[in-house]
Amino acid sequence: MPFFEYKARNSRGELVQGVLEGADSGAIASQLFNSGITPIDIRQTSGPSKSQSDSWWSRLLEKQVQPIDVQLFSRQIYALLKAGVPIMRALAGLQASTVSKPFARVIQDLRDSLDAGRDLSSSMRRHPAVFSSFYLSMVTVGETTGRLEEIFLRLFDQMEFERDMRQRVKAAIRYPIFVIVAIIVAMAVVNIWVIPAFAKVFAGFNTELPLMTRILLATSNFTVNYWPVIAGLLIGAIALFRMYISTTDGRYKWDRTKLRIPIVGKIIQKAALARFARSFALASRSGVPVVQGLHVVAQTVDNAYIATRIEQMRDGVERGESVLRTATTTGVFTPVVLQMVAVGEETGEIDDLMDEIAQMYEREVDYELKTLSSQIEPILIIALGVLVLILALGIFLPMAGPCALWLG
């Protein structure tokens, strides 16, 4: 099919332009109108213009497809499919209106795959970095049951929930990390600039300094003389740590360790379990079998340790055990949640009960976040108090002797 270069205005009145492939200018105009864009000028061209064909350098620097792009795509394609727009025309309209060039290329590949005779889920599997296994499984269910537009709406709600939970957890971790970094910076400043200034004063006392003072001076001298080595070791340790957690075993152990961090660990665990419960409820309500549902839901918790426990649940269910029994053996669910799972299995409404579990965990995360500062403040006050005490003893004890002689 020929290419057409267009100029149009979106719903905000902004000028947009690009190149689309279609049977004629009327088909291009229909695509633009269906995507909420009003065409101004449509002209046939030989192919994508140079402005549309990005160089390798610009592709290297541009941002990759973000989860928010897929989330908005899910909401928009739901609206288009619900309105009766054919899937090919809907994708063409979304490609023209998206502001993300990498995602526009993904949509173009989806259109090419559909033209080649593949179904939508198979086309999406060509982009595993963009569409998660959970997303693909839900789209497959939608194609099988004929409720694709409903599945896209549920996926949008699910991704909105996951994004909200991640932001809450990041907000919870941000405060203690900031305070710890501030303490480390303060210690570096004291060692490099403050203590050396007092060392010149202590040198004039011509007396043996207290043990605490000698420790502070030795630490300061080491920091001043070997700070490049310390900085290099720190950078190397960070690099090695990132390499370690990028491995399967390293990620598993680090995610398990995060759950044991005082105060913050329980917030991370409850947020992960809220994502699991909400995802499992969505999969169950959409008709996904329990074994397959547990497998795809394990990818949504964003914690390798909990994901492994969910996979163990799947193995148990596959052997014929109940969801309650397998959930009990994982050791990550509270007795209240296990009781709700038992009721859900008995009544056949496990999807509704899982939704309630997700809401319960979400409320607990909200409470933990609201009380986070009050839980952390005593620990920080004690840590700062110990630091100040060490500095005070190390700096003022040597001055006590000369001051006593002077007063005497």
Side-chain angles (χ1 to χ4, degrees):
M1 288 188 292
F3 290 91
F4 292 87
E5 185 176 2
Y6 69 88
K7 292 182 181 180
R9 292 195 180 276
N10 58 21
S11 58
R12 296 186 297 272
E14 300 170 342
L15 180 66
V16 293
Q17 55 185 356
V19 175
L20 285 176
E21 186 179 5
D24 51 32
S25 59
I28 300 298
S30 298
Q31 293 179 22
L32 296 174
F33 276 123
N34 289 330
S35 60
I37 298 176
T38 304
I40 299 174
D41 182 37
I42 300 177
R43 298 180 181 179
Q44 186 172 349
T45 181
S46 57
S49 61
K50 292 182 179 180
S51 60
Q52 295 293 108
S53 304
D54 298 329
S55 64
W56 66 271
W57 178 250
S58 62
R59 290 195 181 191
L60 182 65
L61 295 179
E62 70 183 5
K63 293 182 178 180
Q64 299 300 313
V65 177
Q66 302 297 316
I68 188 64
D69 296 325
V70 182
Q71 182 180 343
L72 293 177
F73 167 81
S74 304
R75 184 64 179 84
Q76 292 167 340
I77 199 169
Y78 156 75
L80 292 171
L81 293 178
K82 185 179 180 182
V85 179
I87 183 67
M88 290 297 293
R89 186 182 297 178
L91 291 174
L94 293 177
Q95 180 185 354
S97 60
T98 183
V99 296
S100 172
K101 292 182 179 179
F103 195 58
R105 288 194 291 269
V106 171
I107 297 177
Q108 178 62 54
D109 185 74
L110 294 181
R111 294 174 59 198
D112 295 340
S113 297
L114 291 174
D115 273 335
R118 300 186 183 92
D119 53 24
L120 184 59
S121 58
S122 300
S123 303
M124 287 181 170
R125 281 192 176 88
R126 293 161 54 90
H127 304 277
V130 177
F131 303 103
S132 65
S133 58
F134 178 77
Y135 195 100
L136 294 172
S137 298
M138 296 304 298
V139 172
T140 302
V141 170
E143 289 179 318
T144 304
T145 60
R147 298 185 299 172
L148 190 59
E149 66 277 2
E150 180 182 345
I151 291 296
F152 276 121
L153 179 60
R154 291 181 179 178
L155 285 171
F156 169 79
D157 293 335
Q158 174 68 17
M159 296 182 73
E160 177 67 20
F161 170 78
E162 292 180 3
R163 187 167 69 95
D164 181 59
M165 293 302 296
R166 287 194 185 95
Q167 289 176 346
R168 292 182 185 183
V169 173
K170 288 180 180 179
I173 300 175
R174 189 179 299 120
Y175 175 68
I177 290 178
F178 174 79
V179 174
I180 293 173
V181 171
I183 292 176
I184 294 174
V185 171
M187 292 176 62
V189 170
V190 168
N191 276 287
I192 295 175
W193 285 288
V194 178
I195 295 179
F198 280 95
K200 298 177 182 178
V201 178
F202 298 153
F205 290 169
N206 295 322
T207 183
E208 184 179 2
L209 299 174
L211 176 61
M212 185 64 68
T213 305
R214 295 199 302 270
I215 292 175
L216 287 178
L217 291 177
T219 304
S220 175
N221 289 332
F222 180 82
T223 304
V224 172
N225 294 328
Y226 297 100
W227 70 264
V229 177
I230 297 174
L233 291 175
L234 182 60
I235 294 174
I238 294 174
L240 288 175
F241 175 75
R242 292 178 66 89
M243 291 174 59
Y244 176 69
I245 63 176
S246 64
T247 63
T248 303
D249 183 62
R251 176 67 184 275
Y252 174 85
K253 292 181 178 179
W254 169 238
D255 283 347
R256 182 180 59 184
T257 303
K258 284 193 297 186
L259 300 179
R260 299 174 180 175
I261 299 175
I263 301 176
V264 177
K266 58 184 178 181
I267 298 178
I268 297 175
Q269 179 178 4
K270 290 176 181 178
L273 293 178
R275 287 196 295 269
F276 157 73
R278 184 64 63 89
S279 302
F280 186 80
L282 172 59
S284 178
R285 188 175 289 115
S286 301
V288 180
V290 174
V291 175
Q292 182 184 355
L294 288 172
H295 175 67
V296 297
V297 164
Q299 313 301 320
T300 68
V301 297
D302 199 24
N303 186 286
Y305 175 76
I306 296 179
T308 302
R309 292 294 181 267
I310 295 173
E311 291 286 356
Q312 291 177 0
M313 289 179 60
R314 184 206 64 177
D315 295 339
V317 173
E318 202 170 19
R319 291 193 300 267
E321 300 177 10
S322 65
V323 177
L324 174 62
R325 181 179 178 84
T326 56
T328 304
T329 57
T330 61
V332 295
F333 295 100
T334 61
V336 175
V337 173
L338 294 175
Q339 184 178 359
M340 295 178 71
V341 171
V343 173
E345 278 196 305
E346 291 178 3
T347 60
E349 298 179 352
I350 194 169
D351 50 349
D352 294 333
L353 269 297
M354 280 292 180
D355 260 337
E356 293 186 15
I357 291 173
Q359 293 173 12
M360 182 186 71
Y361 275 130
E362 189 175 0
R363 287 192 296 268
E364 291 186 8
V365 169
D366 282 336
Y367 175 78
E368 296 288 350
L369 292 177
K370 291 177 181 177
T371 60
L372 179 65
S373 59
S374 61
Q375 297 179 64
I376 291 180
E377 280 175 2
I379 300 175
L380 298 179
I381 291 173
I382 293 174
L384 290 173
V386 171
L387 180 61
V388 172
L389 178 63
I390 292 174
L391 292 175
L393 291 176
I395 292 175
F396 293 112
L397 276 180
M399 298 182 181
C403 289
L405 292 175
W406 182 75
L407 291 174

